[in-house]
Amino acid sequence: MAKILPQDFRQQTAELMGEQLFAQVENSICNEEPPTSIRFNRFKAPHGTHTCGIDKEGAEERDDSNTLAAPQEEPVPWCPDYGRYLEERPNFTFDPLLHAGVYYVQEASSMFVDFVARQLIQQPVRMLDLCAAPGGKSTALRNALPQGSLLISNEPMRTRAQILAENIQKFGHPDVIVTNNYPKDFRKAGILFDAILADVPCSGEGMFRKDDGAIEEWSTQNVDNCSKLQRSIIEDIWPCLKPGGLLIYSTCTYNVHEDEENVAHIIQELGATPVQLDIDEAWGITGNLSQHDFPVYRFLPGKSRGEGLFLAVLRKAEDADAISDKTSKRDKGDKGDKVKKKAKTKNKAGNPQASFPAEWLKQSENYETAIVGDRLYAIPLTWHGVYAAASQALCILHAGIEIGKTKGKDFIPAQNLALSTERSTETFALAELSYTDAIRFLRKEAVTLPEETPKGYVLVTYRGIPLGWEKNIGNRANNLYPQEWKIKSTHVPETDKPVITW
């Protein structure tokens, strides 16, 4: 059944785009199915990963000479190394490799942030993804940022922030902090950023093809409300951007009130300079639709292969004001003691060990420990001072690598450790699961381990990729998969239909 768009939306969007372009977009929204696309996690996708029987070369670190060559599954043109369109939408819920963080299901237009980061960021940076849930753009950024960069991935809404933390932990990279704060809170933390992605809340016009609810909720009043909220968000976070730093402003909407007019406001009122990107005309990206003369990048259904996305890049003036970076002193000196002292004041529920076995991580000498409640974290030394500053003023949901927690006399390894790219590959006993048992494990059901499996904590895998922990006590094994992460569907797939193979 064709969608019916609000008349006010049709009128103002036709005036914005012109009748011909709007007719093309409207037809795509109302009558075409959205494309399905995934993005590989370059830190986890094994060498030889492919989607339709076509091999590729993997990449452990940022190396653009290694690409995912899968011609039967068309590459996303602005994310060709890791983004793929699929011919049909599979039931992702029942692919264990999705839960293991080997790939992320992401709308193709949103992968444009990968292109922006690779083109403009060549040296290690401290970056903030301000409105990050559910985590698609954050994991895309972490995929693209140079080694040595730190990403703080933030979401103001608590429920959505929990989903963000889950997806970041599944991604498995240690150089990420997940926070649950409003933009103004970052001023109090005193953390300056080299780059900020502000994918601000919007009226959601770009979601019309995928979400009928977005059509029902749309109104001109909501567009006006969103425009004002977006400006306040940028004004709150602007002092946290370093002089000369980059702001990536994006929405998933079409109108100029939330897009070009807000970019003009940032230029005129905050003194920013627009940044031009080098793009390919074949990608079908639409430029500025307003009277303003600066570069913007608009993805329109029917013209580019993806959903609605608007993006602009702005650079802060070198002589602009900014907050004082409170992390500088901690980065140079007394970082570890302050973090441990802060953590111990929170430790009322248990008595966790103050360190973890060195052999649990590949390079444990590169980490300091932090104790929060009954949980132990490994925080990379390179940004321990940032963590110290953040822990004083921000609500941190996850940071670095969660190693485990104390329960009585036992120390239980964390799910994040199982999925971390920095976990030692030789320390823990492994048990490979069949597809059926992998789904049972992800449902948090009992799984029978092979008879030769040693007692203790066992890392269960599927196709060689870690899924989580079982505690083998001999006559049975306890499933330690997080209750809040489990597959809740009662449907039982007949066979394994992998999204990717190698």
Side-chain angles (χ1 to χ4, degrees):
M1 181 177 177
K3 300 178 186 293
I4 300 176
L5 302 180
Q7 184 57 38
D8 286 346
F9 167 79
R10 295 184 73 257
Q11 180 177 343
Q12 76 169 27
T13 310
E15 291 175 358
L16 172 66
M17 298 180 180
E19 292 292 342
Q20 184 176 354
L21 178 56
F22 175 68
Q24 185 178 356
V25 172
E26 183 180 34
N27 177 67
S28 183
I29 292 174
C30 295
N31 301 307
E32 297 177 0
E33 289 296 319
T36 298
S37 51
I38 64 172
R39 179 179 38 76
F40 290 92
N41 180 346
R42 71 183 178 95
F43 303 102
K44 286 192 174 184
H47 294 278
T49 299
H50 52 88
T51 49
C52 283
I54 308 299
D55 286 339
K56 68 96 184 175
E57 293 296 326
E60 286 299 318
E61 293 299 339
R62 180 169 175 170
D63 182 356
D64 295 339
S65 65
N66 292 323
T67 60
L68 290 164
Q72 294 183 34
E73 298 289 355
E74 184 181 347
V76 175
W78 42 89
C79 187
D81 290 350
Y82 305 106
R84 291 292 178 275
Y85 292 107
L86 302 183
E87 293 183 355
E88 59 184 22
R89 188 176 184 87
N91 193 335
F92 290 111
T93 299
F94 295 101
D95 184 0
L97 297 184
L98 172 68
H99 300 273
V102 175
Y103 67 92
Y104 190 97
V105 183
Q106 185 175 30
E107 191 279 310
S109 298
S110 295
M111 297 183 200
F112 192 58
V113 297
D114 176 285
F115 174 83
V116 175
R118 289 175 186 276
Q119 185 167 123
L120 298 180
I121 301 175
Q122 305 300 323
Q123 301 297 325
V125 295
R126 185 189 302 164
M127 186 166 188
L128 171 65
D129 185 355
L130 186 61
C131 311
K137 291 185 177 68
S138 275
T139 52
L141 287 171
R142 189 60 274 180
N143 232 25
L145 289 174
Q147 184 179 4
S149 298
L150 169 64
L151 176 66
I152 294 185
S153 187
N154 177 73
E155 171 55 44
M157 307 305 293
R158 181 70 179 187
T159 302
R160 288 171 54 81
Q162 296 290 354
I163 297 170
L164 172 64
E166 175 182 337
N167 286 326
I168 292 297
Q169 290 181 69
K170 288 178 177 177
F171 189 79
H173 198 287
D175 292 325
V176 185
I177 300 174
V178 181
T179 56
N180 173 215
N181 289 93
Y182 289 101
K184 62 183 179 181
D185 296 330
F186 284 89
R187 293 198 205 183
K188 301 175 185 177
I191 302 174
L192 276 174
F193 297 95
D194 303 285
I196 295 175
L197 168 62
D199 185 38
V200 290
C202 68
S203 59
E205 296 165 356
M207 300 296 292
F208 281 2
R209 182 161 63 169
K210 295 175 62 176
D211 184 3
D212 290 340
I215 298 176
E216 296 172 1
E217 294 173 4
W218 186 91
S219 69
T220 55
Q221 182 61 54
N222 192 35
V223 168
D224 184 58
N225 293 341
C226 287
S227 177
K228 293 175 181 176
L229 173 62
Q230 292 151 0
R231 291 190 185 192
S232 68
I233 287 172
I234 299 303
E235 288 168 356
D236 280 343
I237 203 62
W238 189 252
C240 299
L241 184 63
K242 290 182 180 179
L246 291 172
L247 172 72
I248 303 171
Y249 176 87
S250 69
T251 73
C252 60
T253 204
Y254 307 129
N255 67 79
V256 294
H257 305 298
E258 299 176 69
D259 294 343
E260 281 94 342
E261 289 181 8
N262 277 351
V263 173
H265 175 80
I266 297 169
I267 294 170
Q268 296 164 5
E269 299 301 321
L270 301 179
T273 302
V275 176
Q276 179 89 43
L277 298 172
D278 183 13
I279 63 171
D280 191 328
E281 290 185 5
W283 296 349
I285 298 175
T286 301
N288 201 315
L289 295 178
S290 73
Q291 300 301 313
H292 299 288
D293 183 22
F294 46 72
V296 301
Y297 307 90
R298 188 183 260 103
F299 291 73
L300 301 175
K303 196 166 184 296
S304 50
R305 194 175 175 190
E307 301 310 290
L309 175 78
F310 172 90
L311 185 143
V313 185
L314 303 120
R315 189 177 297 279
K316 191 172 187 176
E318 292 287 353
D319 57 354
D321 292 334
I323 60 170
S324 177
D325 189 352
K326 297 179 182 178
T327 68
S328 298
K329 179 181 178 181
R330 292 189 175 99
D331 281 333
K332 293 178 181 178
D334 55 357
K335 47 198 173 185
D337 292 341
K338 290 195 176 185
V339 172
K340 290 179 182 177
K341 183 177 180 181
K342 170 74 174 179
K344 286 182 179 179
T345 62
K346 297 182 179 180
N347 179 24
K348 299 177 181 179
N351 184 29
Q353 60 191 72
S355 62
F356 56 89
E359 65 272 16
W360 283 19
L361 296 180
K362 292 177 182 177
Q363 296 178 305
S364 60
E365 68 275 9
N366 293 335
Y367 297 85
E368 288 277 356
T369 58
I371 303 169
V372 181
D374 60 352
R375 298 175 185 270
L376 182 70
Y377 292 81
I379 306 298
L381 288 169
T382 53
W383 49 266
H384 210 297
V386 180
Y387 175 81
S391 67
Q392 299 292 328
L394 301 176
C395 175
I396 297 177
L397 301 184
H398 171 75
I401 306 168
E402 184 183 348
I403 300 296
K405 66 178 181 179
T406 298
K407 187 174 182 180
K409 296 182 179 180
D410 199 5
F411 187 73
I412 305 170
Q415 175 68 15
N416 180 223
L417 177 65
L419 301 182
S420 174
T421 59
E422 294 303 304
R423 173 191 39 77
S424 172
T425 57
E426 301 176 355
T427 301
F428 299 97
L430 304 177
E432 176 72 6
L433 301 182
S434 66
Y435 174 73
T436 300
D437 279 343
I439 295 300
R440 290 178 62 84
F441 175 78
L442 293 168
R443 281 197 172 112
K444 201 170 173 58
E445 297 172 354
V447 175
T448 301
L449 300 177
E451 290 185 4
E452 66 276 12
T453 305
K455 291 184 180 180
Y457 293 104
V458 178
L459 189 62
V460 296
T461 62
Y462 171 70
R463 292 167 59 189
I465 303 296
L467 296 179
W469 303 103
E470 290 264 344
K471 185 177 183 182
N472 186 19
I473 57 178
N475 59 337
R476 62 183 175 84
N478 294 333
N479 187 333
L480 301 183
Y481 196 70
Q483 180 73 24
E484 61 275 18
W485 290 15
K486 73 175 185 178
I487 296 175
K488 297 178 177 62
S489 172
T490 57
H491 169 69
V492 179
E494 294 181 3
T495 58
D496 179 12
K497 296 182 179 179
V499 176
I500 60 175
T501 59
W502 55 85

